[in-house]
Amino acid sequence: MRVRPISSEVLVQELADLLICREPDSFLRVALDGAPAARPEALADALVGPLRAGGRPTVRIDTADFLRPASLRLEFGRDNPDSYYLGWFDEAGLAREVLDPAGPAGSGRILTRLWDASADRAARAPYSHLKPGTILLVSGPLLLGGGLGFDVTVHLEMSAAALARRTLADSAWTLPAFERYASEVDPASFADVVVRVDDPRRPAMVVER
């Protein structure tokens, strides 16, 4: 594997430049995949300004707003890594309410939030109609390999040691889920863009695998 060290600012600009020129007249569904310690949501947030400045309407989606109800999510306990890996995120809801409507034959009518996890009820958010050329930035963990309809995939990769070091103590129980994800799915082997973020202050683009 060959990597190119890059500053956070240059990373954001290079990704923005890549996305702006992709399918300018169509919706573009972009996955920003990474463990919470990799902070995929921060990268997604940082991309919004440059994308809009480049003339692309941009909508942010976070999988934290597409969790399954607690009765299903926590059926086998609050710290079960297999449940986290297989059953925490409502992938069917994300596909139905976001990715499919933003697909080639979609209506462009999406729901940006489906579930309010703190209240454990439907978020009751209104539907939005996407403008032509809108880029959807979907951030969260475990996004790849399950057949979700993304047009561009970005994976934020961390070594097992860095992930263990940077994961909060009360979330350490999720580490086996990410080990399983790396082993069974191996997102770094097929994502369109892979960024090493063992130290988030010093990212590195993977340029050869």
Side-chain angles (χ1 to χ4, degrees), residues 17 20 29 37 48 55 65 69 75 110 118 124 131 141 177 198 206:
D17 291 343
I20 286 168
R29 302 164 297 178
V48 172
D65 296 317
E75 182 179 4
I110 70 162
S118 61
R124 300 174 184 171
K131 298 177 182 178
D198 284 359
V206 175

Side-chain angles (χ1 to χ4, degrees), residues 27-32 59-63 66 90-114 127-128 130 134-139 142-153:
F27 306 137
L28 190 68
R29 302 164 297 178
V30 181
L32 292 125
V59 173
R60 278 282 290 111
I61 304 289
D62 196 298
T63 58
F66 285 81
D90 188 353
E91 293 184 350
L94 182 64
R96 182 183 68 249
E97 303 293 356
V98 179
L99 299 176
D100 292 348
S107 65
R109 181 176 179 265
I110 70 162
L111 198 61
T112 58
R113 297 180 67 237
L114 182 61
Y127 280 90
S128 302
L130 300 177
T134 292
I135 294 177
L136 282 168
L137 299 175
V138 182
S139 63
L142 310 174
L143 278 174
L144 308 184
L148 291 173
F150 292 110
D151 304 303
V152 179
T153 55

Side-chain angles (χ1 to χ4, degrees), residues 67-85 87-89 115 117-120 168-177:
L67 297 181
R68 300 175 77 199
S71 60
L72 300 175
R73 203 168 67 244
L74 308 178
E75 182 179 4
F76 299 103
R78 293 181 175 274
D79 54 1
N80 186 305
D82 291 329
S83 293
Y84 182 78
Y85 182 64
W88 269 51
F89 302 100
W115 195 255
S118 61
D120 197 33
L168 297 176
D170 60 1
S171 297
W173 62 272
T174 65
L175 291 173

Side-chain angles (χ1 to χ4, degrees), residues 37 158-167 175 179 196-199:
M158 303 182 78
S159 68
L163 180 60
R165 185 170 64 250
R166 295 187 177 278
T167 295
L175 291 173
E179 291 174 14
R196 293 296 302 266
V197 289
D198 284 359
D199 183 343

